[in-house]
Structures are given as structure tokens and as C-alpha cells.
Amino acid sequence: MIIANPLYDVVFKYLLEDIDIAREIIATILGEDIIDLEVNPQETATEILPDGNIRILRFDFKATIETATGDHKKVLIELQKIKLALNVVRFRRYLGDNYGKLDNVILGDGTIIKIPLPIVTIYILGFPLEHLKHAVVKIDRQYKDVLTGQIIEDAKDDFVELLTHDSYFIQVRLLPAETKTKLERILQIFNPKFKTEDTHKLNFTGNTDDLIVQKIVNRLQRAIISEELRRKMDFEDDFYSALEDEYNKGVAEEAAKKDIIIAEKDQALIEKEQALIEKDQALENERQKVELLMQQLADMQKQNKK
């Protein structure tokens, strides 16, 4: 079946605007039950600001999670889909924004206070990481007694939790061809194996046994027949093409600068080596002169003895 390619920002945004789909996807990635999910305003996709900075599509969700013990906790979930390997400083800035956000919490006596929420980040990457060869990776935190080396179990502290966070990295190019788990079946919609000559479309032939996968596929089928979404995908093609050209140009310029620096260093080494050769040659000439002089003196001494 033909569906819209969710690696496009506009399609991904359309997909996650269905809050039920968003909740099921996020809950499956986290491996936890989400009781309630709210979406906060997110960055506009594919937009360049007047100062030259680029807005990246991001979603900020506020989730109420039911823990294994039956307790409920609120967390802020930052989800980003990233097509190109762009400057990591942008993502650190977004993360910094979320660390500064406060949320209303009702105490037992009815008092409302504002506190920060724990943060979880999810990155769906359309490009490969150089040193990480796994499709889905969780960067988990551990409490460890550095003096003894002992792992501290069941002793999480709110102060520490609010100053650190868990992260998930999903590399779509490394997703397996065969799906065995619910998470793999959900993420298969991003798998490049379904791509067609028309980059806007995927020819999806994956496993749709899960109801959530059926919902995702149905929504992406509706997306591909939308003329408005297709126009926005065309714009996105042009945007990222120009962005990639600019990025490659910058890489080429940096490489050219490095080549010049290397060439200058090579020339300096050649000149230094030539100076050493000339110095050695001068010393050799002096040595030969001294040997000649010594030989002449020896000859004169022999002549005088006669």
C-alpha cells in the first residue's frame, strides 16, 4: 500500500497530531504506560530565521506515566525527528529551554505550586551515527557510589532526577528488515526499505497485525492524497537540498582550509629538511677542509724530517 513518507517534517507533524497515535508510539519507545499525554507548542518545520538559525521540527509532550509500582509521575518528553546531521548546539539549546520550564502541581491541601518536570528526549535520526551501530539505543542513567563502585538501587532523588535525563536514539537506516517486537513493528514505517522512486511515497508492505500500526498506516494513506501536504513536501525537498548544499559547501571549504594548512606545514618541513641538509653539507665541507689541512701538515712534517 502507498503511504506518505513520515521522514518528511510535514508528514511527521501530521502523524503526531493524532494524539492517540503519538501516545502509543511514545509509550512503546519508553516501555511504560502513558495515562495522559498533552502536546505543547513546537517549532515550525523547515524554517530559517532572520538571524540565519534553522528551526527544527520538535514536539514537547507532557506525559503522565504509570510506573511499575502503580504510582503516577509527570515528565516532559522532547521528541525530534532529524533528517540531516546538523549543528548539535541547536539541540542543546532546545534542551536548555525545556530545563527552564515549570509546570503546575497540586499538593494534597489543594495548593498549586510550579516545579520543573523530569525530561526524556527521543531523537529519530534520518542519518547514521558514526560510532553507534544499533537501531534503537537508550542512554540510561545509573546511581553509583564512586568510592565503593556499588550501583545504588531504588534510591532516586528528585534533585538529581531534575538535573539529568534519559535519552533514546533511533537510527532508521539501521532498523531490521524483519520485525519481532511491537516497537519494531511501529518503527518499520520509517524503514528505508519501503522507499520508492518518488521520495514522497513509501510502498509499505510491513506487518500490520498491531492495531496501532493499522492506525498509523491509515493516517499516512490519507496524508499522501493531500495536495497541501504534497506541496509542503516539495518545499521541504528544496529547503533540505539547499541546506545540504550549504552544509557540503562548508565542509568543502573546511577541507580546503585544512589542505592549505597541511600544504603549508609540508612546505615548512621540506624547507627545514633542506636547511638541515645544507647545514650537514657545510659541516661535511668543513670536515674535508680540516682533513686536507691535517694531511698537508703531516706531509710538511715528513718533508722537514728528510
Side-chain angles (χ1 to χ4, degrees):
M1 63 192 78
I2 301 300
I3 63 174
N5 187 346
L7 283 181
Y8 279 86
D9 286 357
V10 63
V11 178
F12 189 66
K13 184 173 182 292
Y14 175 79
L15 178 65
L16 292 195
E17 283 172 348
D18 186 314
I19 200 67
D20 290 331
I21 288 177
R23 179 172 55 248
E24 191 74 22
I25 290 176
I26 294 172
T28 306
I29 293 173
L30 300 185
E32 296 188 278
D33 291 331
I34 295 180
I35 306 304
D36 183 58
L37 187 72
E38 302 175 29
V39 61
N40 296 324
Q42 67 278 330
E43 296 286 1
T44 303
T46 56
E47 181 179 353
I48 299 180
L49 302 177
D51 61 3
N53 280 319
I54 301 166
R55 282 183 171 172
I56 306 299
L57 179 64
R58 61 188 278 231
F59 289 86
D60 289 340
F61 295 97
K62 185 166 60 178
T64 301
I65 293 176
E66 183 173 353
T67 67
T69 59
D71 296 327
H72 290 180
K73 65 176 182 179
K74 277 188 176 182
V75 298
L76 188 64
I77 299 171
E78 179 179 301
L79 188 153
Q80 296 185 38
K81 182 197 64 64
I82 310 159
K83 193 171 184 179
L84 299 177
L86 301 172
N87 191 336
V88 73
V89 173
R90 294 190 181 98
F91 308 114
R92 287 172 61 91
R93 184 174 67 245
Y94 298 149
L95 189 56
D97 292 344
N98 276 337
Y99 266 107
K101 290 180 179 178
L102 301 176
D103 188 64
N104 291 329
V105 173
I106 303 175
L107 301 180
D109 61 1
T111 305
I112 298 176
I113 61 172
K114 287 184 175 292
I115 62 171
L117 295 178
I119 295 174
V120 177
T121 55
I122 300 173
Y123 301 98
I124 299 177
L125 308 180
F127 60 91
L129 297 172
E130 184 178 358
H131 302 295
L132 201 57
K133 306 305 178 185
H134 304 270
V136 184
V137 175
K138 178 182 180 180
I139 309 302
D140 206 348
R141 295 161 300 144
Q142 237 179 17
Y143 286 59
K144 182 178 182 179
D145 186 327
V146 176
L147 298 181
T148 65
Q150 179 184 2
I151 302 300
I152 303 171
E153 303 287 353
D154 302 324
K156 292 187 176 181
D157 185 89
D158 288 344
F159 183 82
V160 176
E161 291 297 300
L162 293 175
L163 289 175
T164 57
H165 69 277
D166 292 340
S167 291
Y168 296 79
F169 294 85
I170 299 167
Q171 299 186 77
V172 300
R173 296 187 184 185
L174 299 181
L175 291 171
E178 300 296 327
T179 58
K180 298 178 181 178
T181 66
K182 181 180 179 181
L183 178 58
E184 289 174 338
R185 289 191 289 274
I186 286 177
L187 295 179
Q188 68 182 323
I189 60 164
F190 298 104
N191 199 317
K193 75 174 184 176
F194 299 120
K195 66 181 181 181
T196 66
E197 291 185 4
D198 183 349
T199 57
H200 296 177
K201 300 176 180 179
L202 298 180
N203 183 17
F204 184 79
T205 57
N207 187 322
T208 58
D209 290 344
D210 295 274
L211 180 59
I212 180 58
V213 178
Q214 296 174 23
K215 289 182 178 180
I216 291 171
V217 169
N218 289 339
R219 189 160 179 84
L220 293 178
Q221 282 182 310
R222 292 196 295 274
I224 199 59
I225 62 176
S226 167
E227 288 297 327
E228 180 183 359
L229 291 182
R230 291 295 295 267
R231 284 195 300 271
K232 288 181 178 179
M233 281 191 273
D234 286 333
F235 168 77
E236 201 170 316
D237 286 334
D238 295 339
F239 176 88
Y240 276 113
S241 177
L243 188 62
E244 194 165 13
D245 288 345
E246 191 66 25
Y247 176 79
N248 291 334
K249 179 182 176 183
V251 171
E253 289 176 350
E254 285 298 316
K257 289 178 183 177
K258 289 181 181 178
D259 288 342
I260 292 172
I261 292 172
I262 292 172
E264 290 175 347
K265 288 182 177 180
D266 287 345
Q267 183 61 35
L269 288 173
I270 291 172
E271 292 174 357
K272 186 176 181 179
E273 185 176 354
Q274 184 61 36
L276 289 173
I277 292 173
E278 292 175 356
K279 184 177 180 180
D280 289 344
Q281 186 61 50
L283 290 173
E284 177 63 21
N285 292 339
E286 288 298 320
R287 187 185 65 78
Q288 291 179 1
K289 287 180 182 180
V290 170
E291 286 183 354
L292 180 59
L293 181 59
M294 295 293 290
Q295 185 62 46
Q296 290 174 345
L297 288 173
D299 292 344
M300 289 177 61
Q301 289 175 349
K302 289 179 182 179
Q303 189 67 28
N304 290 336
K305 287 180 180 181
K306 293 180 178 180

